[in-house]
Amino acid sequence: MCIFFKKAIFLQNMKKGQPKQTDDELLRLVVERMKELRYERGYSQEYVIERTKLNLSQYEAKIHVPSLDSLSRLCKFYNITLDEFFAPMKYPVKE
């Protein structure tokens, strides 16, 4: 990830002078899953954005981290459960 996007994510996550901790691996998996669902259905980013009103392009570029509410809205759009969204990730790995 380029330094510009890392800085944008850091600044986006600032709250009262304290940076939010993010799990880069989890974010990568969530973004990968979002793209996978969109590609499987043959949808463009614009198509999904128009119907969900989500910042999909910014999520997929990892500029913004999707909230649980945003993921829920995306799941409703794809007619899947949150469980089905997260199931392929198998994260974190059990020891």
Side-chain angles (χ1 to χ4, degrees), residues 40-54:
E40 283 176 354
R41 289 156 176 83
Y43 296 158
S44 66
Q45 278 186 343
E46 293 79 16
Y47 181 83
V48 177
I49 290 168
E50 287 173 5
R51 282 151 184 82
T52 63
K53 308 297 185 225
L54 294 173

Side-chain angles (χ1 to χ4, degrees), residues 27-90:
L27 178 59
R28 184 189 68 75
L29 292 169
V30 167
V31 168
E32 185 178 287
R33 181 71 170 135
M34 293 170 75
K35 289 179 181 180
E36 177 185 351
L37 290 167
R38 187 169 59 78
Y39 293 152
E40 283 176 354
R41 289 156 176 83
Y43 296 158
S44 66
Q45 278 186 343
E46 293 79 16
Y47 181 83
V48 177
I49 290 168
E50 287 173 5
R51 282 151 184 82
T52 63
K53 308 297 185 225
L54 294 173
N55 291 326
L56 190 66
S57 57
Q58 293 181 354
Y59 297 152
E60 289 187 4
K62 299 179 189 168
I63 295 170
H64 292 291
V65 177
S67 67
L68 191 54
D69 182 63
S70 295
L71 293 177
S72 177
R73 196 176 334 167
L74 200 60
C75 287
K76 287 176 186 175
F77 173 74
Y78 290 126
N79 195 33
I80 62 171
T81 64
L82 283 166
D83 187 48
E84 291 170 310
F85 180 87
F86 286 106
M89 294 181 201
K90 309 264 190 269

Side-chain angles (χ1 to χ4, degrees), residues 11-22:
L11 293 174
Q12 175 67 25
N13 291 331
M14 291 291 291
K15 186 177 182 180
K16 296 184 183 178
Q18 298 295 323
K20 250 188 208 178
Q21 292 187 5
T22 58

